Amino acid sequence: MADFPGGAFRMGDAFGEGYWADREGPVREVTVAAFAIDTTAVTNAQYAAFTAATGYATDAERLGSSFVFHQLLAPTARRHVLGRVAGAPWWLGVEGAAWHAPEGPGSHVDDRPDHPVVHISHADARAYCEWAGLRLPSETEWEYAARGGLDGARFPWGDDFTPGGREMCNTWLGDFPRRSARPGGRTGTVPVTAYEPNGFGLYNTSGNVWEWCADAFGPGERVIRGGSYLCHASYCHRYRVAARSHNTPDSSTGHGGFRCARDLPQPRLPQPPTEGTTP
């Protein structure tokens, strides 16, 4: 984890590029208390250790299904498709899709222990945190750490999405949602330490997977931050560091994960001398 003594920073969209309904602005100065946060999202290997130790069943496992991006559906899972999401037909409801079978029955995570765990609901993330003696980060903590010390920048590394032509995060390349321009049409998660960390040592706070925060977004919904491997400027440019979105707490998807945080002792402030003592 990365430790932070706390402090003030400017939170929100400084460029007017956010979605109005997401309420990214106005830019305001906020203060965070001392905290620590994971430098990476929680991995498949870490979540497997948790379930092995506790026998915990995720919401997707208990409810019997979760949502898989259409191009990632395992061939063995085609007969398990329950339907498409209205308004977002690239999402398939798939019976048996869960963290250990992220593309549906017949898929597995044995070959990607270092990828972020997905198909995790808000309750599933909190259960892991409680087992580990941790908690979910607040939205303010998440953005403070994700910015990597850069004041008001678009991304954790600066304002240019591809500085010097370098790819800095795992987002969609190509024609969303039909054609991926990556080699072999590849899409999906990458290891949690892929790409360069930000100035605070945090990896993949843009792209790869959405990450749950502790905060409520509105009635019945929780905040998610960071964007995912499906974000693209033509559809969802929420891979900017100020961007925010939301989901219902029992929802799980093939691009939704989390990282953990914890409290740190607050620094002791100098106390004024008491009357009759020498300063």
Side-chain angles (χ1 to χ4, degrees):
M1 303 186 93
D3 291 355
F4 297 95
F9 77 107
R10 291 197 306 150
M11 183 175 183
D13 170 27
F15 298 91
E17 297 170 337
Y19 297 97
W20 176 84
D22 288 348
R23 305 193 298 274
E24 293 180 23
V27 175
R28 63 276 188 201
E29 185 171 291
V30 297
T31 300
V32 291
F35 72 101
I37 192 169
D38 283 342
T39 57
T40 72
V42 173
T43 65
N44 288 317
Q46 290 173 306
Y47 210 80
F50 159 61
T51 60
T54 63
Y56 180 83
T58 61
D59 277 341
E61 291 171 293
R62 291 188 302 100
L63 296 172
S65 66
S66 190
F67 294 96
V68 177
F69 182 63
H70 69 128
Q71 291 187 3
L72 290 176
L73 182 71
T76 52
R78 288 172 183 159
R79 64 187 180 90
H80 297 279
V81 174
L82 302 173
R84 295 178 180 267
V85 175
W90 48 88
W91 282 114
L92 307 176
V94 180
E95 184 180 23
W99 75 269
H100 53 80
E103 289 84 44
S107 65
H108 59 81
V109 295
D110 297 349
D111 60 347
R112 45 189 139 156
D114 58 348
H115 285 227
V117 66
V118 293
H119 295 291
I120 298 297
S121 72
H122 196 266
D124 301 335
R126 287 191 293 106
Y128 176 94
C129 289
E130 290 168 7
W131 171 75
L134 304 170
R135 59 173 173 80
L136 287 175
S138 70
E139 185 176 11
T140 302
E141 291 170 337
W142 191 97
E143 186 169 327
Y144 179 87
R147 287 192 170 277
L150 299 181
D151 179 38
R154 279 191 177 91
F155 308 111
W157 55 86
D159 291 338
D160 186 353
F161 186 53
T162 53
R166 289 180 297 143
E167 185 179 72
M168 302 296 289
C169 65
N170 180 28
T171 55
W172 182 270
L173 296 181
D175 177 20
F176 184 85
R178 290 171 288 276
R179 183 187 61 83
S180 170
R182 296 189 181 279
R186 177 183 62 82
T187 189
T189 59
V190 296
V192 294
T193 55
Y195 302 98
E196 298 176 21
N198 70 10
F200 289 153
L202 272 68
Y203 291 86
N204 294 320
T205 52
S206 284
N208 215 21
V209 294
W210 284 103
E211 298 179 7
W212 289 109
C213 291
D215 308 56
F217 183 90
E221 294 184 309
R222 295 284 175 169
V223 171
I224 53 175
R225 298 294 300 255
S228 80
Y229 60 83
L230 295 180
C231 283
H232 187 267
S234 67
Y235 168 69
C236 171
H237 64 305
R238 292 186 176 94
Y239 44 82
R240 295 168 296 103
V241 74
R244 60 199 302 262
S245 194
H246 51 96
N247 209 344
T248 54
D250 61 345
S251 294
S252 61
T253 63
H255 67 346
F258 70 106
R259 72 180 71 208
C260 305
R262 63 182 171 90
D263 297 330
L264 287 181
Q266 302 305 307
R268 296 183 65 180
L269 299 176
Q271 299 297 312
T274 58
E275 185 177 352
T277 63
T278 303

